[in-house]
Amino acid sequence: MKEKDEVIFQKDADGYLPVFNRYKIVLDHGEGIYLYDNNGKKYSDFLGGIAVNVLGHNYPPLVRTIAEQAGKIIHVSNLYYTQAQADAAERLVHLSGLDKVFFCNSGAEANEGAIKLARKWAHTIAADKSEIITALHSFHGRTLATLTATGQLKYQEGFGPLPAGFSYVPYSDYDALEALVNEKTAAVMIETIQGEGGVYVPSEDYMKKVRALCDKYNALLILDEIQSGMGRTGKFMAYELYGIKPDIVTLAKGLAGGVPIGAFVTAEKVAQALHPGDHGSTFGGNPLACAAANVVMDAIAKQGILGHVEKVGAYFKKKLEDLREKYPNLIKDVRGEGLLLGMEIAVEGRDIVNQCLEKGVIINCTAGNVLRFVPPLIIKASEIDDMLSILEPILAERAKSL
Ligand SMILES: *Cc1c(COP(=O)(O)O)cnc(C)c1O
């Protein structure tokens, strides 16, 4: 029995920690890029669970595989082997171009594991090689180490003492990074494209120089592709856009199309620093999550999704740029690659997001004033047009009042 929205809001207020600034809708089911709330209202989903639902909602092969796997085994301990986990590792190693993978349950856990691995590896070189350099405005997660890696004070305040050994540089500023990296640097950890921080895309020159700088000081390059990976940019990993390879890459969000999972993947030379007992997880890489990840990886590798994202992403970006030309006082910038797109506006975005929601469009605003679009990768040009026909009048109205 479905309860009335107000009853659900009240239960949440009574029982759930108030850490989320939620929008007042109760979602019930979905189909493709569409979601339906408890009252049957339809929404087009341009957030995709924050870059998670890469194959959309209720994607038949994913639903079928999850049901079949659940009917066999949902979980076994990592003390044993499963076909699904072995297959997922094989696929991810192949798609990433790296050598060894570890599965966990979330993005924060993937980054936490990457930091641990980097420190363990660095300590095989020198006892004082442990510094992790990250970027301002980054987002790496909510555990103590990953919120320390996150270069934004608002996530850290009140949670001290924070783990030691982290320092920060402005993103995309090579000189600042060069000034900080030295023999004590264990790793430079950045998002290949900054997502939460406002959709910032670095230049190829910057990324290549960061790679070379890490090599020079024997520091690891950790790329957080939790948001930018899994085909989001039209490449399986966004680092392919730059012709570089990290020493460790982290994934989560889209990896299993909505089933909780995370992973870090690394090069052989780094992997050798870990031995039995050094790291682990009860749930990590369980057969349910891995079976789902295998469906997603196969869909991306074999069903032309990358080419589709490249085409439809370019189309989408062009349309957003056209809007910027029409409303230059409101729209300051359009950024992004593939289906990770941001539109920076001159005002706070939350009202616009609410107006869209009212009209059946789910978008999101990050960093206060960047409208962010990270829809399912299967989205069609016509669905983008439909969304823009709702967004444009809202933007036009707002632009008039400036
Ligand atoms: C979402 C995100 C994370 C954290 O993932 P969780 O699953 O919420 O822990 C880390 N890094 C990036 C770049 C993200 O977008």
Side-chain angles (χ1 to χ4, degrees):
M1 227 279 289
K2 276 182 205 163
E3 292 179 316
K4 285 202 170 0
D5 288 358
E6 295 307 327
V7 175
I8 294 168
F9 300 154
Q10 193 57 48
K11 279 190 186 180
D12 178 86
D14 290 344
Y16 202 90
L17 267 176
V19 293
F20 297 111
N21 216 348
R22 298 192 208 264
Y23 294 96
K24 291 270 180 186
I25 57 172
V26 182
L27 293 168
D28 183 66
H29 63 281
E31 188 70 50
I33 72 138
Y34 298 103
L35 281 167
Y36 298 83
D37 72 14
N38 258 359
N39 306 305
K41 181 173 167 185
K42 181 180 179 182
Y43 302 84
S44 50
D45 182 8
F46 278 74
L47 181 59
I50 317 187
V52 168
N53 304 101
V54 288
L55 301 177
H57 303 283
N58 200 12
Y59 181 72
L62 185 59
V63 174
R64 202 182 319 121
T65 300
I66 291 169
E68 278 169 13
Q69 185 61 52
K72 293 201 279 180
I73 35 170
I74 292 175
H75 175 83
V76 293
S77 162
N78 273 313
L79 297 174
Y80 310 98
Y81 300 89
T82 63
Q83 178 81 51
Q85 189 185 85
D87 288 346
E90 180 185 45
R91 280 175 173 80
L92 192 46
V93 160
H94 174 70
L95 288 168
S96 65
L98 292 164
D99 302 314
K100 291 275 160 46
V101 48
F102 180 85
F103 289 114
C104 51
N105 309 287
S106 69
E109 247 185 273
N111 285 335
E112 185 85 20
I115 292 165
K116 282 180 68 183
L117 172 60
R119 286 258 173 91
K120 196 88 181 358
W121 172 83
H123 290 153
T124 65
I125 297 169
D128 64 348
K129 192 174 175 70
S130 58
E131 195 72 17
I132 311 281
I133 301 175
T134 71
L136 294 171
H137 303 296
S138 56
F139 183 78
H140 296 298
R142 307 280 195 158
T143 64
L144 273 173
T146 58
L147 73 85
T148 307
T150 293
Q152 303 193 52
L153 265 183
K154 67 172 178 183
Y155 293 107
Q156 302 172 346
E157 270 166 353
F159 294 109
L162 302 177
F166 288 82
S167 50
Y168 313 95
V169 288
Y171 190 66
S172 274
D173 181 342
Y174 179 74
D175 294 340
L177 185 65
E178 192 185 28
L180 213 59
V181 174
N182 59 41
E183 297 293 343
K184 292 181 179 169
T185 307
V188 173
M189 175 169 174
I190 53 177
E191 290 155 90
T192 313
I193 293 174
Q194 280 194 337
E196 303 302 305
V199 189
Y200 288 98
V201 183
S203 71
E204 183 169 344
D205 180 58
Y206 171 76
M207 291 301 268
K208 287 207 152 91
K209 279 157 84 179
V210 171
R211 176 66 276 183
L213 184 67
C214 288
D215 289 340
K216 181 174 168 197
Y217 288 96
N218 204 13
L220 300 179
L221 176 59
I222 304 175
L223 291 179
D224 177 343
E225 294 243 10
I226 289 163
Q227 192 157 153
S228 60
M230 296 310 295
R232 176 74 33 206
T233 65
K235 302 286 183 198
F236 183 71
M237 300 286 199
Y239 57 71
E240 295 168 49
L241 295 167
Y242 298 94
I244 60 159
K245 245 204 278 187
D247 301 292
I248 307 174
V249 61
T250 57
L251 289 169
K253 294 204 160 85
L255 178 51
V259 178
I261 192 170
F264 58 91
V265 198
T266 189
E268 187 67 49
K269 73 158 189 186
V270 185
Q272 285 172 8
L274 290 184
H275 304 288
D278 282 347
H279 196 57
S281 169
T282 297
F283 291 126
N286 85 13
L288 187 76
C290 285
N294 287 330
V295 173
V296 174
M297 287 190 276
D298 281 351
I300 290 175
K302 296 176 192 156
Q303 290 172 21
I305 285 183
L306 295 176
H308 171 73
V309 170
E310 199 176 329
K311 272 219 312 269
V312 87
Y315 176 82
F316 196 169
K317 192 173 180 187
K318 170 76 172 56
K319 292 273 165 171
L320 296 177
E321 280 165 350
D322 291 348
L323 288 177
R324 185 186 52 166
E325 274 175 25
K326 267 171 99 171
Y327 309 104
N329 64 333
L330 176 67
I331 303 173
K332 295 294 159 199
D333 197 15
V334 169
R335 300 186 285 266
E337 287 286 342
L339 289 171
L340 173 47
L341 297 172
M343 174 189 263
E344 184 178 325
I345 54 178
V347 296
E348 284 278 312
R350 198 167 165 97
D351 279 354
I352 291 171
V353 171
N354 270 318
Q355 284 173 283
C356 284
L357 195 63
E358 188 77 16
K359 297 211 148 51
V361 167
I362 293 180
I363 60 168
N364 162 259
C365 176
T366 191
N369 67 336
V370 180
L371 302 181
R372 177 176 46 173
F373 307 93
V374 281
L377 304 183
I378 55 165
I379 197 155
K380 301 191 197 89
S382 60
E383 293 165 334
I384 293 168
D385 290 341
D386 291 347
M387 184 280 285
L388 292 172
S389 72
I390 290 169
L391 178 64
E392 178 168 359
I394 294 172
L395 293 174
E397 192 61 35
R398 198 72 185 82
K400 252 198 303 192
S401 71
L402 282 182

